[in-house]
Amino acid sequence: MAPQDRLVFLNGNYLPLHEAKISVLDRGFLFGDGVYEVIPVYGGRPFRLEEHLRRLHQSLAGIRMVSPLTDTEWAEIFARLVDGFHDQYLYLQVTRGAAPKRDHAIPAEVEPTVFVMAAPIAPLPPKGIHAVTLEDIRWRWCHIKAITLLANVLLRQEAADHGAAEAILVRDGWVTEGAASNVFIVRQGQLATPPKSNELLPGITRDLVLELAEQHDLPAEERNIRAKELKEADEIWVTSSTREVLPVVRLDDAPVGDGEPGPLWRRMQEIYQAYKQRLRPPASP
Ligand code: PDD
């Protein structure tokens, strides 16, 4: 099926993507006034669904909204849109909706716009990625998964201009996260990632990596990381729902470690893939 013919969910209806339309007065369009989630689906099952829905509720609360749907209703929509057993992701977006006039302040009565689609996950680069460090120019409420992503777009493009797949962001000399991922470093066998704060998204993949590290006795800590530690790191990883745990093998103009995915990454990759595999229904490929 052509991508534009795939079924999507918009405001209570299921329809082909090319028929899904919203008002030009939608506050998501006018102000970036909304939040989103990206949920991977393996073997037909949404991955860490409870955690993603919990973060959705937190993001909505952060912009003074409540979920227009119950968790059961969300799960029903996801089940209807998931297309077979191949790896894919669900994208959902809730905006404040279309108000009759353009005014920054939140209108009293407005119906939220709810959009959900499923799409294939792009294959991951097998040998790691290049990244660049850039100044974190984003706003201070990065814990909210807001659709207002212009800074992330520009930062990711600046990385792409340098031939890199991700920008690692630095604020006041401290690492925050990637333009669309969380960041881990390995130094002397010890895994570290910055603690949760309003300066980074509480990544679901990040939490899972910490959880798996603990279960498998890999030493890991949440602590602030100085930008200069990136240069001294034996390994750097970026994590996200669509890119899992990816090793950064080159940072700015220098190799990370020996320029190959490191031993701790290889171990985590085994553990992570085994965890994913256990969640697939037995008959799925
Ligand atoms: N982004 N930090 C930022 C700024 C992100 O945009 C993302 C994910 C993450 C990782 O979070 P998680 O592990 O929950 O996916 C961290 C998604 C995938 C996106 O915008 O497409």
Side-chain angles (χ1 to χ4, degrees):
M1 188 192 294
Q4 67 274 18
D5 294 332
R6 287 183 71 155
L7 214 57
V8 300
F9 176 92
L10 181 65
N11 298 332
N13 301 308
Y14 293 92
L15 66 176
L17 180 59
H18 69 268
E19 285 176 22
K21 305 275 190 298
I22 59 157
S23 164
V24 290
L25 289 179
D26 193 278
R27 291 177 60 93
F29 179 62
L30 292 179
F31 296 112
D33 185 359
V35 299
Y36 75 107
E37 272 298 324
V38 175
I39 309 170
V41 179
Y42 304 123
R45 293 179 173 167
F47 191 63
R48 301 234 128 186
L49 180 56
E50 211 177 294
E51 288 82 353
H52 280 280
L53 288 176
R54 194 179 310 133
R55 187 174 64 187
L56 173 66
H57 294 300
Q58 283 163 1
S59 294
L60 285 166
I63 65 161
R64 304 188 188 202
M65 286 183 73
V66 288
S67 177
L69 300 172
T70 64
D71 286 0
T72 312
E73 288 168 332
W74 283 118
E76 282 166 9
I77 296 168
F78 300 158
R80 177 114 184 240
L81 295 183
V82 165
D83 176 23
F85 290 103
H86 62 271
D87 290 358
Q88 55 200 287
Y89 68 89
L90 288 155
Y91 175 84
L92 78 86
Q93 175 166 320
V94 180
T95 77
R96 208 174 304 271
K101 70 179 170 72
R102 182 180 178 277
D103 180 1
H104 287 63
I106 297 172
E109 274 178 33
V110 60
E111 277 292 303
T113 300
V114 180
F115 172 63
V116 190
M117 66 175 176
I121 293 184
L124 300 176
K127 292 188 163 133
I129 60 164
H130 294 190
V132 288
T133 47
L134 293 175
E135 190 198 333
D136 193 343
I137 55 168
R138 301 172 304 158
W139 72 332
R140 293 277 175 163
W141 280 12
C142 296
H143 58 297
I144 298 173
K145 202 162 171 59
I147 60 170
T148 328
L149 289 172
L150 187 54
N152 306 61
V153 165
L154 293 174
L155 290 161
R156 179 62 86 73
Q157 185 55 46
E158 199 173 332
D161 293 344
H162 287 92
E166 184 57 303
I168 294 182
L169 307 180
V170 173
R171 197 190 279 277
D172 301 328
W174 299 96
V175 176
T176 54
E177 59 178 335
S181 58
N182 293 109
V183 175
F184 286 76
I185 65 164
V186 177
R187 284 186 80 188
Q188 292 155 355
Q190 176 99 23
L191 192 56
T193 193
K196 288 180 189 174
S197 75
N198 61 329
E199 295 192 345
L200 55 105
L201 188 79
I204 307 300
T205 321
R206 167 199 182 277
D207 285 356
L208 177 57
V209 166
L210 288 173
E211 203 178 295
L212 293 174
E214 188 173 349
Q215 278 169 22
H216 292 83
D217 295 320
L218 305 178
E221 57 178 346
E222 297 177 74
R223 66 166 175 86
N224 292 315
I225 297 171
R226 288 187 188 281
K228 72 175 175 53
E229 285 186 72
L230 291 169
K231 312 260 177 260
E232 296 154 9
D234 303 315
E235 301 183 28
I236 300 174
W237 312 344
V238 292
T239 64
S240 88
S241 291
T242 43
R243 301 203 289 176
E244 303 183 352
V245 187
L246 269 188
V248 175
V249 292
R250 193 168 182 84
L251 183 70
D252 299 325
D253 288 325
V256 177
D258 62 4
E260 297 288 326
L264 208 57
W265 176 80
R266 286 201 300 273
R267 178 79 186 109
M268 180 53 72
Q269 175 72 348
E270 264 171 35
I271 295 168
Y272 195 93
Q273 295 307 322
Y275 178 86
K276 264 174 66 181
Q277 200 54 36
R278 280 200 300 278
L279 297 185
R280 291 180 202 270
S284 80

